[in-house]
Amino acid sequence: MTSVTSLFASVDTDLCLLTENLKNLVGARHPILYAAAEYLFGAGGKRIRPAIVLLISRATMLDQDITPRHRRLAEITEMIHTASLVHDDVVDEAEVRRSVPTVNSLFNNRVAVLAGDFLFGQSAWYLANLGNLEVVKLLSEVIKDMAEGEIQQGLSRFDTTITIETYLEKTYNKTASLIANSAKAAGLLSGVPIEFAEKLYNYGRHIGLAFQIVDDILDFTASTEVLGKPAGSDLVSGNLTAPVLYALEEKPYLEVLIEREFAQPEDLEQALALVKESQGIERSRKLAAYHAQLATENLTDLKPSECSKALVDMAEYVLSRMY
Amino acid sequence: MTSVTSLFASVDTDLCLLTENLKNLVGARHPILYAAAEYLFGAGGKRIRPAIVLLISRATMLDQDITPRHRRLAEITEMIHTASLVHDDVVDEAEVRRSVPTVNSLFNNRVAVLAGDFLFGQSAWYLANLGNLEVVKLLSEVIKDMAEGEIQQGLSRFDTTITIETYLEKTYNKTASLIANSAKAAGLLSGVPIEFAEKLYNYGRHIGLAFQIVDDILDFTASTEVLGKPAGSDLVSGNLTAPVLYALEEKPYLEVLIEREFAQPEDLEQALALVKESQGIERSRKLAAYHAQLATENLTDLKPSECSKALVDMAEYVLSRMY
């Protein structure tokens, strides 16, 4: 099994620098923000998004060093991601993430809304000041998609009529759009041709989908300890993911439990059991594997290098998490 | 006394079109968003920000019609403003604005955070797709400033040590930056020279400051009915504005009341009375008049037209509201 550490070895120094920069960029203005930044960009985050940006940057620059713009793009990517996490936790009323209290529970909703807006605001500004209109368009598309995904998820809670296609669309908006567009942007900053950049987009899109599907599976199969948040929390909050949507095809009673929002005692336990008894988990694993496979097929234009190998291995690593 | 209606007469049709477009841009994707858009962009809003953008657009294009980009800029300006209102109301736990319930009180914090993020996301996207990097930079500066102003205000509540300078800096970030940068952007879209664009920025900056100082005065002098929200609500929430900061210089007991956050019965009434007894209101009026004056001094490059006259009259109108 591939570990994240070995996967990211070739951009390890870059990632350390990124974390320091993010703490300074965000925390410089106010002590409370500094505390939030220390906490948000400190231990716990896997930094998968900036790692992919940095790996693609290095894999496309080859012998040349990556530019300050590549680094800034990686930072922006992580800032946008973190901003969305902070607001998601307000929306979901989540109390724990990565085994630490969320900003809304540690401080309050007020500070969490402020901190998220601040991060979005800072990223929009750093983005514009990258000075590349094409990259600005790609990343602003992400900000739009993430907000749309947040709406799609937030306003269709406990809705058992949503399809796997709708789920994938929402998952693209919430998770894969950021990875896809920033992967493409990293390529553009290296000056790759547009067809090559499109493949990098598709790599990001499929690895992002695979990644999120695996996360959604783990919400059913992993322990609270491993997850760093209560297991089954998607289901509790009415966020119906691939395993549930597949399970609904086999277990009609699941619909009853979900639609009454687990109002009766034992409803949640029963629902979790029904998902586990069904083919839902297995079918979701196949779906994740399918997207991980599609991801790697888009890397054929990359010249062999340590970084391009890490991008291929990433697909394997994503899947390895689900067993 | 100038009325808003006569002031905006030359862009009245533009503003109607803008309102319709905003409802469609925002509401098209989801019924709940449509309800929110109807409500957010419906009656009540004075639409001062897009009006200024449209007036500057027409005043700088002269005989030529304004372009779709000018219109889109005006829409983006109102979207950013509305997004910030929605999040401000979450942060301030406000229940009423413009005599109607806020999104957080009508729906809940969840929907308000989602709706605000959605509006920010949409504006970032429309902004990037204006395709003018200079304009993108100006407006992304606004998004950053507003988030910073939100932080400055949100994290210095009940802080009696803040100065008038800090207050003006926060007011620039929260209110004037949007007007200043979008005024400059409107000029740039018309192709005015950079020095001219800088003057438009300064017009927006000073009219924005005057506008907010007047609003802050009205919080003390106007009735709940006129305000469309409870009078004194800035003070209650610990947002210390010009009248209070000036009053603090004369009335040391005010500091005591504020620092214990009006914990005792009658504290708030007493604080409001101290502000009214002091020179705080009068000095704030002078401050507003000073900025309104500076605003008009920046309009000398504009050729005489109905729209340029409206921009001058705007300064008079802003001040007329405070008596």
Side-chain angles (χ1 to χ4, degrees):
Chain A
M1 181 171 157
T2 326
S3 79
V4 194
T5 326
S6 67
L7 207 54
F8 294 171
S10 39
V11 290
D12 199 37
T13 319
D14 299 332
L15 283 172
C16 286
L17 190 61
L18 170 125
T19 303
E20 277 319 295
N21 276 345
L22 282 173
K23 285 186 192 170
N24 292 329
L25 288 178
V26 174
R29 307 294 304 220
H30 201 287
I32 291 212
L33 278 182
Y34 191 81
E38 271 286 335
Y39 159 79
L40 286 167
F41 301 117
K46 288 187 291 290
R47 298 176 299 184
I48 284 185
R49 292 155 188 82
I52 291 178
V53 168
L54 291 163
L55 287 170
I56 289 181
S57 303
R58 293 208 171 274
T60 49
M61 291 298 279
L62 294 168
D63 301 336
Q64 291 176 65
D65 198 5
I66 59 171
T67 68
R69 287 187 176 183
H70 286 110
R71 292 186 190 281
R72 187 46 55 89
L73 175 66
E75 288 158 8
I76 292 169
T77 302
E78 188 68 351
M79 280 169 84
I80 295 177
H81 169 59
T82 308
S84 80
L85 291 188
V86 174
H87 280 188
D88 276 358
D89 287 340
V90 176
V91 169
D92 297 341
E93 297 169 0
E95 297 189 351
V96 200
R97 178 183 289 273
R98 301 173 193 155
S99 306
V100 286
T102 56
V103 177
N104 46 304
S105 77
L106 194 65
F107 302 92
N108 51 45
N109 276 351
R110 236 167 48 75
V111 172
V113 172
L114 291 173
D117 283 353
F118 184 81
L119 285 168
F120 275 128
Q122 292 287 88
S123 25
W125 188 79
Y126 284 115
L127 181 58
N129 286 281
L130 271 183
N132 181 319
L133 193 54
E134 199 48 47
V135 171
V136 173
K137 282 189 192 174
L138 290 175
L139 273 286
S140 74
E141 181 95 21
V142 172
I143 298 178
K144 187 192 67 145
D145 288 343
M146 287 176 82
E148 203 153 317
E150 224 188 318
I151 291 272
Q152 286 171 311
Q153 179 171 312
L155 301 182
S156 59
R157 297 189 313 155
F158 301 105
D159 178 354
T160 55
T161 66
I162 63 167
T163 61
I164 278 281
E165 286 68 38
T166 312
Y167 159 79
L168 286 174
E169 201 185 295
K170 183 219 67 178
T171 304
Y172 171 76
N173 285 334
K174 283 213 64 170
T175 308
S177 172
L178 177 59
I179 305 176
N181 284 292
S182 62
K184 181 176 173 182
L188 292 179
L189 289 178
S190 301
V192 306
I194 184 68
E195 303 75 28
F196 191 169
E198 276 309 318
K199 287 191 181 172
L200 294 173
Y201 169 90
N202 281 317
Y203 170 77
R205 176 180 149 81
H206 290 295
I207 202 106
L209 290 174
F211 183 80
Q212 188 58 50
I213 296 163
V214 170
D215 249 17
D216 294 343
I217 293 169
L218 289 174
D219 196 53
F220 289 94
T221 60
S223 65
T224 297
E225 209 172 17
V226 169
L227 290 175
K229 62 176 184 180
S233 50
D234 285 334
L235 193 55
V236 178
S237 67
N239 175 20
L240 307 186
T241 58
V244 189
L245 296 176
Y246 286 130
L248 275 164
E249 294 176 17
E250 287 172 58
K251 310 280 185 186
Y253 189 58
L254 194 51
E255 193 178 318
V256 178
L257 298 170
I258 294 169
E259 292 200 332
R260 71 180 181 220
E261 302 189 5
F262 314 116
Q264 320 255 344
E266 313 288 309
D267 273 7
L268 184 65
E269 289 67 21
Q270 217 179 332
L272 288 168
L274 284 171
V275 173
K276 284 180 193 171
E277 276 167 29
S278 76
Q279 293 299 306
I281 308 279
E282 197 40 44
R283 288 175 72 188
S284 303
R285 281 180 178 148
K286 288 210 175 95
L287 186 66
Y290 169 72
H291 286 288
Q293 173 61 29
L294 286 181
T296 53
E297 287 172 11
N298 281 287
L299 290 176
T300 43
D301 287 5
L302 284 178
K303 295 223 173 78
S305 73
E306 211 184 318
C307 291
S308 69
K309 183 173 179 308
L311 289 165
V312 177
D313 291 347
M314 178 77 78
E316 194 196 319
Y317 162 71
V318 166
L319 297 180
S320 74
R321 289 169 63 236
M322 74 187 178
Y323 291 106
Chain B
M1 179 173 155
T2 326
S3 77
V4 194
T5 326
S6 69
L7 207 55
F8 294 170
S10 40
V11 290
D12 198 38
T13 319
D14 298 333
L15 284 171
C16 286
L17 191 61
L18 171 123
T19 306
E20 277 318 296
N21 276 347
L22 282 173
K23 286 185 193 172
N24 292 329
L25 288 179
V26 174
R29 307 295 303 222
H30 202 285
I32 290 210
L33 278 183
Y34 192 81
E38 271 287 334
Y39 158 81
L40 286 167
F41 301 116
K46 290 187 290 292
R47 297 175 300 186
I48 283 184
R49 291 155 187 83
I52 292 177
V53 169
L54 291 163
L55 287 170
I56 289 181
S57 302
R58 292 207 171 276
T60 47
M61 290 298 279
L62 294 168
D63 301 337
Q64 292 176 62
D65 198 5
I66 59 171
T67 67
R69 284 186 179 184
H70 286 108
R71 293 187 189 281
R72 187 46 56 89
L73 175 66
E75 289 158 6
I76 292 169
T77 302
E78 188 68 353
M79 279 168 82
I80 294 177
H81 169 58
T82 307
S84 79
L85 291 188
V86 173
H87 280 187
D88 276 357
D89 288 340
V90 176
V91 168
D92 297 341
E93 297 170 0
E95 295 190 351
V96 199
R97 181 183 286 272
R98 300 173 193 155
S99 306
V100 286
T102 56
V103 176
N104 46 305
S105 76
L106 194 66
F107 302 93
N108 50 46
N109 277 351
R110 236 167 49 75
V111 171
V113 172
L114 291 173
D117 284 353
F118 184 80
L119 285 168
F120 275 127
Q122 292 286 88
S123 24
W125 189 78
Y126 283 115
L127 181 58
N129 286 281
L130 271 182
N132 181 318
L133 192 55
E134 199 47 49
V135 171
V136 173
K137 282 189 192 173
L138 290 174
L139 273 286
S140 74
E141 181 94 19
V142 172
I143 298 179
K144 186 193 67 145
D145 289 342
M146 289 176 81
E148 204 153 315
E150 224 189 318
I151 292 272
Q152 286 171 311
Q153 180 172 311
L155 301 182
S156 59
R157 297 189 314 154
F158 301 105
D159 179 353
T160 57
T161 67
I162 64 166
T163 61
I164 280 282
E165 287 66 39
T166 313
Y167 160 78
L168 286 173
E169 201 186 295
K170 183 220 67 178
T171 304
Y172 171 76
N173 285 335
K174 283 213 64 170
T175 308
S177 171
L178 177 59
I179 305 178
N181 285 293
S182 62
K184 181 175 174 183
L188 291 180
L189 289 179
S190 301
V192 306
I194 184 69
E195 303 76 26
F196 192 169
E198 276 310 319
K199 288 192 180 173
L200 294 173
Y201 169 89
N202 281 318
Y203 169 77
R205 176 179 148 81
H206 290 294
I207 202 107
L209 290 174
F211 183 80
Q212 188 59 50
I213 296 163
V214 171
D215 249 18
D216 294 343
I217 294 169
L218 289 173
D219 196 54
F220 290 94
T221 60
S223 64
T224 297
E225 210 173 14
V226 169
L227 291 175
K229 62 176 182 179
S233 51
D234 285 334
L235 194 54
V236 178
S237 67
N239 176 20
L240 307 186
T241 58
V244 189
L245 296 176
Y246 286 130
L248 274 164
E249 295 176 17
E250 288 171 57
K251 311 280 186 189
Y253 190 57
L254 194 51
E255 195 179 317
V256 178
L257 297 170
I258 293 169
E259 292 200 333
R260 71 180 181 219
E261 304 191 5
F262 314 115
Q264 321 256 342
E266 313 288 310
D267 273 7
L268 184 66
E269 289 68 18
Q270 218 179 332
L272 288 169
L274 286 170
V275 173
K276 284 180 194 170
E277 276 167 28
S278 77
Q279 294 299 306
I281 308 278
E282 197 41 44
R283 289 175 73 188
S284 303
R285 282 181 178 145
K286 287 209 176 96
L287 186 66
Y290 169 74
H291 285 289
Q293 174 60 28
L294 285 182
T296 54
E297 287 173 11
N298 281 287
L299 290 176
T300 43
D301 286 5
L302 283 177
K303 295 225 172 76
S305 72
E306 211 183 316
C307 290
S308 69
K309 185 174 178 307
L311 288 165
V312 177
D313 292 346
M314 178 77 78
E316 195 194 318
Y317 162 72
V318 165
L319 297 180
S320 74
R321 289 169 63 236
M322 73 189 178
Y323 290 105

